[in-house]
């Protein structure tokens, strides 16, 4: 079995995940910190985010932004890397 195609896919997805320009969802942490994420990854990896982002009339879904005041930027970044 040739692992090169799988490795190339993994490398491309890793590059995409790190590409700030393609991130289309914002987490506002506290008053100043903004962390950008991929909405598609949130939808695919979390039933909670899927429900939130697909719910009709939810401001977060419409604005593609969620305010989180009860965590740190470091914790949120680690969480996003995990999912």
């Amino acid at each position: 079995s040739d692992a090169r195609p799988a490795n190339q896919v993994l490398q491309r997805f890793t590059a995409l995940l790190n590409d700030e320009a393609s991130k289309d969802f914002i987490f506002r942490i506290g008053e100043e910190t903004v962390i950008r994420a991929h909405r598609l990854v949130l939808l695919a990896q979390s039933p909670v985010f899927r429900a939130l982002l697909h719910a009709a009339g939810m401001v977060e879904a419409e604005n593609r932004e969620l305010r989180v005041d009860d965590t740190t930027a470091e914790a949120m970044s680690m969480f996003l890397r995990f999912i």
Side-chain angles (χ1 to χ4, degrees):
S1 162
D2 188 358
R4 283 181 290 172
N7 286 338
Q8 289 174 349
V9 170
L10 180 60
Q11 289 173 350
R12 289 179 185 142
F13 273 105
T14 300
L16 179 64
L17 287 173
N18 293 322
D19 179 19
E20 290 295 319
S22 66
K23 294 179 180 181
D24 57 355
F25 193 84
I26 293 174
F27 289 94
R28 293 205 180 272
I29 313 299
E31 293 298 320
E32 298 179 14
T33 304
V34 171
I35 298 175
R36 298 179 58 81
H38 295 275
R39 183 175 178 271
L40 186 60
V41 173
L42 298 174
L43 292 169
Q45 293 298 105
S46 169
V48 173
F49 284 122
R50 190 175 319 113
L52 175 77
L53 297 175
H54 279 184
M58 292 295 293
V59 174
E60 294 85 357
E62 292 175 14
N63 294 342
R64 294 185 177 215
E65 183 175 311
L66 178 65
R67 179 168 201 83
V68 183
D69 289 320
D70 58 350
T71 191
T72 65
E74 181 181 8
M76 181 57 93
S77 292
M78 288 174 29
F79 170 73
L80 292 172
R81 278 193 298 274
F82 174 76
I83 66 165

